[in-house]
Amino acid sequence: VCGPPPHIPPGSGIPGKSCGTIIVLAEELSNCRDVATLQFCANKLDKKDFFGKSDPFLVFYRSNEDGTFTICHRTEVARHTLAPVWAAFDIPVRALCNGDPDRTIKVEVYDWDRTGSHDFIGEFTTSYCELARGQHGLNVYEVVNPKKKLKKKKYLNSGTVTLLSFSVESDPSFLDYIRGGTQLNFTVAIDFTASNGNPSQPTSLHYLSPFQLNAYTMALKAVGEIIQDYDSRKLFPALGFGARIPPDGRVSHEFPLNGDAENPACRGIEGVLEAYHRSLRRVQLYGPTNFAPVVNHVARAAAAVLDGSQYFVLLIITDGVISDMAQTKEAIVNVRGSGCPKGGCPLWHLLWDAH
Ligand SMILES: *[C@@H]1O[C@H](CO)[C@@H](O)[C@H](O)[C@H]1NC(C)=O
């Protein structure tokens, strides 16, 4: 009933008017990570359309702890047939039965109708445990319309639905990978553009004081000290961008903080901080703020590792506006498109605003 409850100010409901109810139920999810692939066909379904056959589709329901049902999948409509074969579909086992193999799964068969009032053909129940037997004489289900069954003595069924194939795959989480030994490859990129302020001035975000950590150091320590425990070698490539670098003073958007272009890796977060201080003394803060070169740098390395043994994290610490937004977008899109495994790409984009 939709009158405003006492804590809601008047005027936010329609007092005295019943607008229906919304019921929210919660159920703890099992941590089952399996994904099932199922395919069904049907035979001799009831003919529902006046001029023709039927346009059947299936609706799957998971049963809840309290005995109610929740829709968890709907197949496509098979047009104009009483013997449809639906496309195979993937469904998380959690969605199908909350990971409980014995829970009832209800399946309803409908005849699709243009107006949206689909005609009920019949229903049957099964369970994950039964489906997991795969294609099998026991996975042929009679589709029953309970009303028809009550009315007609001779009624047998409204057709049958057959499970054509069943398979299941585990979809590991990020933590599963980490437990299995995936290492984080943590790369840091630091903004050396002039907008950070002259490093010799206390107002600069790059100001090095014996008494207090600057914003860049704080960001680096906050993220790095957590991530470093997931890298057994503790070698962290550290790059700078947006500065004029020695010896010739050209502007670089991808220079090694330790000065070693062959191997920009630093030993531990302490090593990264040392290299950062070293660069601050040597380079001239300049601009513009380009991200694409460092994104591409890490993306190249990530593209070479497709076995899940490494997960690449790029931490970009910056003070401001990206100058090469279009190129940065393109670099990120390219990473995602370059042969990423099914579970997503092994690269995080982490951006830390030094303000
Ligand atoms: C870690 O990533 C960097 C790119 O930032 C790459 O140069 C380096 O080879 C990677 N480390 C390993 C062990 O693959």
Side-chain angles (χ1 to χ4, degrees):
V1 178
C2 165
H7 60 281
I8 295 181
S12 49
I14 308 172
K17 234 187 157 177
S18 168
C19 313
T21 40
I22 292 177
I23 299 169
V24 180
L25 294 174
E27 186 174 321
E28 192 176 338
L29 280 180
S30 83
N31 62 7
C32 170
R33 307 277 317 175
D34 293 347
V35 177
T37 305
L38 302 164
Q39 187 177 23
F40 291 89
C41 68
N43 273 298
K44 296 190 177 147
L45 292 177
D46 283 358
K47 183 177 136 184
K48 286 285 179 184
D49 292 344
F50 194 68
F51 298 107
K53 303 189 170 172
S54 286
D55 303 304
F57 64 94
L58 302 175
V59 182
F60 290 75
Y61 296 84
R62 156 182 81 237
S63 61
N64 302 310
E65 274 167 348
D66 64 356
T68 57
F69 287 94
T70 302
I71 291 190
C72 58
H73 183 75
R74 186 194 279 256
T75 66
E76 81 279 11
V77 174
R79 296 307 297 263
H80 203 59
T81 173
L82 300 177
V85 179
W86 291 282
F89 61 92
D90 292 341
I91 184 167
V93 175
R94 248 174 19 182
L96 196 58
C97 60
N98 198 3
D100 175 355
D102 297 316
R103 246 188 229 204
T104 302
I105 297 166
K106 185 168 79 171
V107 184
E108 291 179 344
V109 187
Y110 284 92
D111 169 38
W112 177 84
D113 194 292
R114 184 175 306 283
T115 63
S117 64
H118 311 305
D119 294 317
F120 178 68
I121 295 177
E123 64 186 20
F124 63 92
T125 59
T126 179
S127 66
Y128 179 74
C129 189
E130 290 179 57
L131 293 173
R133 292 177 304 199
Q135 193 185 20
H136 193 287
L138 294 170
N139 272 324
V140 179
Y141 298 91
E142 279 189 74
V143 177
V144 173
N145 182 335
K147 273 192 195 154
K148 269 194 169 176
K149 193 170 182 165
L150 275 180
K151 267 198 230 155
K152 295 188 189 164
K153 279 221 177 87
K154 283 193 181 157
Y155 175 81
L156 278 177
N157 59 48
S158 296
T160 55
V161 166
T162 303
L163 176 68
L164 283 179
S165 67
F166 170 92
S167 62
V168 64
E169 248 183 67
S170 176
D171 177 19
S173 69
F174 179 65
L175 268 185
D176 293 330
Y177 273 105
I178 293 292
R179 283 197 201 101
T182 291
Q183 300 271 314
L184 294 190
N185 180 331
F186 178 54
T187 303
V188 182
I190 293 182
D191 181 341
F192 283 84
T193 56
S195 56
N196 286 284
N198 183 343
S200 63
Q201 301 296 314
T203 49
S204 168
L205 291 165
H206 280 308
Y207 182 62
L208 296 178
S209 139
F211 307 112
Q212 155 182 18
L213 303 177
N214 72 22
Y216 280 86
T217 309
M218 279 198 292
L220 229 167
K221 282 173 86 88
V223 179
E225 284 177 359
I226 291 170
I227 289 187
Q228 68 174 345
D229 292 332
Y230 298 96
D231 180 341
S232 56
R233 290 159 313 153
K234 307 215 186 303
L235 290 174
F236 307 117
L239 305 169
F241 57 89
R244 296 183 107 146
I245 60 168
D248 50 1
R250 76 188 162 86
V251 176
S252 171
H253 299 291
E254 183 190 352
F255 60 90
L257 295 194
N258 65 3
D260 182 353
E262 294 296 306
N263 184 12
C266 307
R267 200 160 286 284
I269 295 304
E270 280 312 308
V272 176
L273 286 174
E274 252 169 55
Y276 162 55
H277 294 172
R278 173 190 180 282
S279 281
L280 268 184
R281 288 191 303 268
R282 282 168 207 230
V283 306
Q284 184 198 347
L285 271 55
Y286 207 72
T289 309
N290 290 354
F291 284 0
V294 291
V295 172
N296 285 328
H297 180 102
V298 179
R300 274 195 302 276
V305 186
L306 291 173
D307 61 359
S309 64
Q310 285 191 55
Y311 196 91
F312 290 76
V313 180
L314 168 59
L315 171 67
I316 301 177
I317 315 179
T318 181
D319 80 324
V321 185
I322 308 180
S323 316
D324 66 338
M325 186 59 104
Q327 288 88 336
T328 297
K329 278 186 188 163
E330 198 183 314
I332 291 170
V333 170
N334 285 342
V335 182
R336 301 214 62 94
S338 59
C340 293
K342 200 176 162 194
C345 243
L347 176 65
W348 283 356
H349 305 281
L350 196 54
L351 193 58
W352 192 296
D353 185 336
H355 287 301

